[in-house]
Amino acid sequence: MPSEEELFASVDALLNEEPHLPPPAERARLREAAGITQARLAAALKTTTQSVKNWENGRSEPKSPRLDAYQRLLNGWAAKYPAPGTAPTVPVAATVPAASAEPGASRAETADAAAPQASAVPAAALARPAVRPAAPSRRPATKRAAQPAADPRFPHGPLAVLDGDGCAYGTGGIVLDCPATTVPELVEWTLRESGLGAPKLNRYGKDSDPLIVLTAAAAVKLGLPERLEGHEQRRSLRLPEDHPVVKQVAKAKWRLTQRGFGPWARIYRKAQGRDRQCVQLAILSWDALDERSWPGVAEMEPADVARVLGVYATRVITPRGSTAVSGLELMTALRPPTRAVRDEASGNWVPGHNPGSLGTEPMAPAPPEATPEHPVVVDSGWSGGFLNEEAYQWVRPVDLLSDEECTLPYAVGLDLNTAFLAAAARLVVGLSGPDHFHAPTFNPKIPGSWLVDLSHVEVDPRLPSPFTPTGERPTGPAWYQTHTVAYAQELGHNVAPLEAYLRRETGAYLDPWHDRLKEAYIDTLTDLGVTKELTDVQFLAAMERHKDADPAMAAVLAAIKATVKGGIGKLRERPQGRKYKEGERWPALQRPTWRPDIRAAVISKARVNMHRKMRNMATMTGLYPLAVLSDCVVYPSPGDSPLDFLPYAASGKPQPGGFRLGPTPGLAKLEGVQSMLWAVDLMEQGHNPARHIKGGDAVLDEGE
């Protein structure tokens, strides 16, 4: 028989537990009954509107002290606005959550009812009841059914975010119960019970491996350090080989890739037939999600992290590393190197080259396309110069500013949406190795590198030269990519190449990559309230507030933009590490996607596109830029808006050929506004106003 003291202690423990909130639907009902908007409630609780939305749809739960304040507010509203058939005097906290009316119900039952095709996934993955437990937890208070899946093999989406309490938050609001306490157990659960993964993006490609994102609490529970410790671990971004978790993985007959156990650990076994055995891990507290590419995501609730990464995975690709890595992997996923072909001798189906792809073997670049440390350059003693196709970094000389320009009150910066992505559209690149030619006739349809003298081409000194990233006039023969030389012809000048490295097999390799990322970019902007149907005035207003509309979707948009820049940069990844010596091969050279010529083609086309618009702007408006930094251009303006200087026809429609406002890649948006005096002062100090027009310090987009 328990003593009175023991019973009282048990009761006191219950009283001290975290308060129970009513079900999400009831929270929304109470707020609406009180006539309070989500935005006003968010302001009162010092949080975001999106957080309130998440609380009311069951995606996440508030934490103390917000939890206590929210509970107090709901109690007050419940007393004023009782649910139909409920006495007004009964406090909300004492009501039984709707989910508890069915004590035997589980997420597995709900999922089975909503998605019968998922029955192949063991019910153990969803066995925990959906009622919110008394212990502190961020799991939703209501049952969550799996969303209908396009592929019955992956009923629960591409990824999950695992928290320390065993809740694995998936896409569409589902919550899986993960019993794993070690990394090998987590890998086994993911492959056998979770129902996670994503179908291939091309008929000849491979399915995306499931991604498990670990919170700091989950990492510690699995035996991992909360953060990488010590100088060596932080420098190498991986655990040492003698770490207990690394030993656990090896003992269980699993393998790690050459990257080791770092922020993006890839654990695998040899595939069995067609079934891949590979799980991708990402550890949030090890900075797996770079703040520059995923702003604010690492600090979000697990359910919100799952939402952000889930949208990205659905629209782009399941993340496999940094956004740069994902951008490069997306190219291969959309253009797989091989396809099944029938062997005439045996009659069997064997892997064969997939036309339009980059193949399975790395390709040596032409010497002028390589980097100075590349073995092709060092071993041959090449001294004939290199391609210098980089983004603009130019400032107009102050002495070329007219009095009329200096009297204008404003400097307005325009930023081109994903300029590199726009340049990748219908871009023909080389698919075969380079062949060397002497004194060839220039052909703008053949991709390659041309040694040609463009120093005779005259351009208005108030514009940058289209042939160099600094905007300075060339001084003699130099190597250029096809688009740069073709633009010289477009300007009416003869070109006579001295040499060229050209590719006979060509194709629009980046087209599917461009199409998928363009659609992802436009769809995400649409989710943020920025659509193609808006007028220019409405577009500027929508862009000014789009990041506040939904921070989660704003983070997806930032990641998509980083994927474009990083993916192009990875095409010419440089060696890293203090121990590297010139002439040695580095890991990136083993990839068929190490293609500096394709990177040069994209940047060349983007820079030419920028110059063409600036030249047309000068013709139509008489205005010349003050400075350019990659895809940002700054103009003197009579007003503080792009509407004050962009060219419009009498009908009100934008004039073709110049800069135009809009949400699609290649169109422009407002980057920032400063005074003309501010811009001139920076120019006199030798600084680039385009770098600071937004109020901070912009980063040059070099595709690195």
Side-chain angles (χ1 to χ4, degrees):
M1 185 77 175
S3 66
E4 180 179 337
E5 183 177 349
E6 290 174 332
L7 291 173
F8 275 32
S10 298
V11 170
D12 288 341
L14 291 175
L15 290 172
N16 291 328
E17 281 184 354
E18 183 180 307
H20 288 258
L21 295 176
E26 176 65 5
R27 304 171 202 175
R29 186 195 72 78
L30 290 171
R31 177 184 56 74
E32 291 169 356
I36 303 298
T37 65
Q38 290 178 328
R40 187 174 173 190
L41 176 56
L45 293 176
K46 304 295 188 292
T47 187
T48 64
T49 303
Q50 184 60 41
S51 292
V52 174
K53 290 180 181 178
N54 290 342
W55 301 341
E56 292 185 357
N57 62 26
R59 279 187 172 150
S60 66
E61 298 285 277
K63 299 181 188 176
S64 293
R66 270 193 200 94
L67 175 60
D68 306 291
Y70 191 32
Q71 174 73 38
R72 182 177 179 182
L73 178 64
L74 293 175
N75 284 346
W77 281 343
K80 287 185 178 182
Y81 314 106
T86 305
T89 55
V90 178
V92 173
T95 62
V96 180
S100 65
E102 302 176 88
S106 71
R107 291 190 188 98
E109 295 166 1
T110 313
D112 288 344
Q117 73 272 22
S119 59
V121 180
L126 300 171
R128 197 179 300 181
V131 179
R132 193 172 188 274
S137 171
R138 287 171 287 196
R139 76 185 62 184
T142 57
K143 294 176 290 184
R144 285 288 169 185
Q147 298 297 315
D151 192 317
R153 297 172 301 158
F154 311 118
H156 299 142
L159 56 90
V161 180
L162 181 63
D163 207 357
D165 60 1
C167 287
Y169 296 82
T171 58
I174 67 167
V175 184
L176 308 177
D177 289 314
C178 176
T181 57
T182 67
V183 169
E185 288 177 0
L186 175 61
V187 173
E188 297 280 357
W189 173 85
T190 302
L191 292 174
R192 288 168 174 73
E193 300 181 39
S194 71
L196 297 173
K200 55 194 176 186
L201 298 179
N202 182 286
R203 61 182 295 195
Y204 301 125
K206 299 175 182 177
D207 295 331
S208 287
D209 299 314
L211 167 64
I212 301 293
V213 181
L214 304 180
T215 65
V220 171
K221 178 181 177 181
L222 295 171
L224 297 166
E226 182 173 343
R227 301 196 66 84
L228 290 174
E229 302 164 342
H231 172 72
E232 182 59 29
Q233 288 185 28
R234 291 195 298 270
R235 187 188 67 80
S236 63
L237 292 178
R238 67 178 66 186
L239 293 178
E241 293 185 3
D242 60 355
H243 190 279
V245 172
V246 178
K247 290 183 176 180
Q248 281 180 0
V249 171
K251 185 176 180 181
K253 307 300 183 183
W254 291 98
R255 298 180 182 179
L256 290 163
T257 61
Q258 290 183 347
R259 290 188 293 182
F261 207 119
W264 289 90
R266 202 165 177 81
I267 302 175
Y268 72 99
R269 281 179 184 155
K270 187 176 180 180
Q272 296 180 344
R274 292 186 176 183
D275 296 329
R276 289 170 59 81
Q277 297 190 90
C278 183
V279 174
Q280 178 74 65
L281 300 183
I283 305 171
L284 291 177
S285 57
W286 295 7
D287 299 325
L289 299 181
D290 190 314
E291 176 68 17
R292 295 167 297 180
S293 303
W294 302 94
V297 177
E299 303 303 321
M300 291 180 180
E301 297 290 332
D304 293 327
V305 176
R307 178 183 174 225
V308 170
L309 295 179
V311 172
Y312 179 90
T314 302
R315 294 181 178 176
V316 182
I317 193 173
T318 304
R320 305 181 185 183
S322 67
T323 49
V325 169
S326 297
L328 195 70
E329 292 282 349
L330 180 62
M331 295 179 193
T332 303
L334 294 169
R335 293 274 199 189
T338 62
R339 65 172 182 171
V341 297
R342 186 180 293 277
D343 180 43
E344 296 298 334
S346 65
N348 296 327
W349 290 96
V350 297
H353 177 70
N354 184 23
S357 75
L358 298 183
T360 59
E361 298 298 324
M363 184 179 297
E369 298 167 349
T371 53
E373 67 274 11
H374 195 285
V376 164
V377 175
V378 175
D379 294 345
S380 66
W382 172 263
S383 59
F386 300 95
L387 279 173
N388 189 23
E389 299 288 12
E390 302 294 343
Y392 268 132
Q393 190 171 195
W394 171 83
V395 179
R396 199 200 315 176
V398 178
D399 58 4
L400 293 180
L401 294 176
S402 67
D403 293 339
E404 291 78 10
E405 287 176 315
C406 291
T407 58
L408 293 174
Y410 295 101
V412 177
L414 294 176
D415 180 73
L416 298 189
N417 303 323
T418 55
F420 289 172
L421 184 60
R426 299 181 299 278
L427 176 67
V428 176
V429 299
L431 301 178
S432 57
D435 292 322
H436 191 196
F437 297 88
H438 291 277
T441 300
F442 177 69
N443 187 334
K445 295 183 179 180
I446 300 179
S449 302
W450 309 78
L451 180 63
V452 59
D453 188 353
L454 299 179
S455 60
H456 63 286
V457 179
E458 297 267 359
V459 295
D460 192 304
R462 292 170 292 181
L463 291 174
S465 167
F467 310 126
T468 64
T470 62
E472 298 174 345
R473 186 171 176 171
T475 57
W479 289 97
Y480 301 99
Q481 202 276 333
T482 297
H483 277 88
T484 304
V485 184
Y487 190 58
Q489 274 194 337
E490 181 182 322
L491 295 175
H493 298 277
N494 293 323
V495 293
L498 305 175
E499 291 182 60
Y501 285 90
L502 309 177
R503 288 170 166 79
R504 300 178 188 274
E505 184 183 344
T506 65
Y509 172 72
L510 293 175
D511 260 9
W513 185 82
H514 162 270
D515 294 346
R516 187 166 178 84
L517 286 170
K518 177 183 177 180
E519 183 177 2
Y521 181 80
I522 293 173
D523 286 350
T524 307
L525 270 179
T526 299
D527 289 338
L528 291 167
V530 185
T531 65
K532 297 179 182 178
E533 294 74 24
L534 298 178
T535 66
D536 285 0
V537 173
Q538 293 169 332
F539 169 74
L540 291 173
M543 287 301 297
E544 187 174 356
R545 61 176 182 267
H546 80 284
K547 290 184 179 179
D548 299 325
D550 186 342
M553 294 307 296
V556 175
L557 185 69
I560 292 171
K561 293 191 287 187
T563 301
V564 173
K565 298 171 185 176
I568 296 300
K570 278 283 186 180
L571 292 169
R572 196 198 65 173
E573 185 176 359
R574 306 290 288 269
Q576 300 175 2
R578 293 174 296 179
K579 297 181 180 179
Y580 176 78
K581 297 180 180 179
E582 285 193 353
E584 293 179 345
R585 297 186 65 82
W586 60 95
L589 299 188
Q590 305 305 316
R591 301 191 314 249
T593 49
W594 196 86
R595 291 293 302 272
D597 56 301
I598 296 180
R599 174 187 177 274
V602 172
I603 298 178
S604 165
K605 186 178 174 183
R607 195 181 66 243
V608 165
N609 287 346
M610 174 70 86
H611 191 276
R612 187 181 289 112
K613 293 180 189 299
M614 291 188 292
R615 186 165 56 89
N616 291 338
M617 280 284 292
T619 302
M620 291 185 283
T621 67
L623 291 177
Y624 292 84
L626 301 175
V628 187
L629 182 72
S630 188
D631 48 11
C632 176
V633 56
V634 178
Y635 274 95
S637 173
D640 61 356
S641 168
L643 302 174
D644 294 312
F645 68 90
L646 289 179
Y648 290 88
S651 63
K653 293 184 178 181
Q655 292 278 22
F659 294 105
R660 296 175 55 190
L661 299 175
T664 57
L667 298 188
K669 59 181 178 290
L670 177 64
E671 178 73 359
V673 181
Q674 301 287 347
S675 71
M676 184 64 176
L677 184 62
W678 169 91
V680 173
D681 185 51
L682 277 184
M683 295 165 71
E684 289 177 339
Q685 297 178 47
H687 300 305
N688 191 325
R691 185 181 295 277
H692 308 280
I693 192 74
K694 200 172 183 177
D697 191 10
V699 177
L700 177 63
D701 294 334
E702 296 180 328
E704 296 295 350

